[in-house]
Amino acid sequence: MDLKLFGEVFVTLLVIVDPPGMMPIFLALTGPLTARDRNRAAWQAVALALGVIVIFAVAGQTLLDYLHVDLPALQAAGGLLLVLVALELLTGKADDPSQQVTSNIALVPLGTPLLAGPGAIVATMLFVQQADGLDDHSAIAAAIVAVMIAVWIVLRFSGGIVKILRPGGIEVLTRIAGLLLAAIAVQLIADAVAAFVTQYVNMT
């Protein structure tokens, strides 16, 4: 296995996924849940993100070509989805435990597009396209799994912070996470628009 390529893929995806930055959003979304449900949401989100990234690594370009979808469109769609989640956090609609469904939270927005977002998907697809031989593919696969394990560890043991913050702290954290999530969403949409403009200019 190519250890240099493993390191490159691992560091790149770890920076894109940003587990420490994910923690406040994860706590805001799962704050009202029990510790057991929060832990279950953590592994479900990581499992889904791993599955999505692997699928796009193997057949991502083929799938997008078949659907006639450009990568910027995928990026913009992820941004719009995050805007909806951010609005729920900012307006307090995500605070009602009766409205929380663990599997839904784990799948959307935690699993995708937060963990398996456009950035991680595109980076993985590029690494796979540049890979040459079984050794390179093994290094990429091992790096993806290692990143997901690191993310799971961070999310799994973030529950201790909930006990420290108490309900009042969680409410403040929720509003801050909503603002950060809104900023991430706007940046995704802006990058997608810029990519579309660049494509249009190059075509003309």
Side-chain angles (χ1 to χ4, degrees), residues 52 56 60 64 69-80 112-113 116-119 121-122 125 188 192 196:
V52 170
F56 274 93
L64 293 180
V69 174
D70 293 330
L71 288 175
L74 183 67
Q75 192 170 1
L80 291 174
T112 181
I121 290 173
V122 172
M125 288 172 61
L188 282 174
F196 277 124

Side-chain angles (χ1 to χ4, degrees), residues 31-57:
L33 301 179
T34 63
R36 181 178 180 180
D37 287 341
R38 190 181 306 113
N39 294 338
R40 185 170 60 181
W43 76 256
Q44 285 179 341
V46 170
L48 174 67
L50 178 61
V52 170
I53 290 177
V54 168
I55 290 173
F56 274 93

Side-chain angles (χ1 to χ4, degrees), residues 70-108:
D70 293 330
L71 288 175
L74 183 67
Q75 192 170 1
L80 291 174
L81 181 58
L82 290 183
V83 166
L84 297 177
V85 178
L87 289 176
E88 287 190 358
L89 293 176
L90 289 170
T91 57
K93 291 183 179 179
D95 295 342
D96 185 2
S98 64
Q99 300 298 321
Q100 299 286 348
V101 181
T102 307
S103 60
N104 289 349
I105 293 172
L107 302 181
V108 178

Side-chain angles (χ1 to χ4, degrees), residues 124-151:
T124 304
M125 288 172 61
L126 291 176
F127 277 120
V128 170
Q129 289 174 4
Q130 297 169 3
D132 182 22
L134 182 60
D135 290 344
D136 287 356
H137 287 96
S138 299
I140 294 172
I144 293 172
V145 172
V147 169
M148 290 298 110
I149 291 175
V151 172

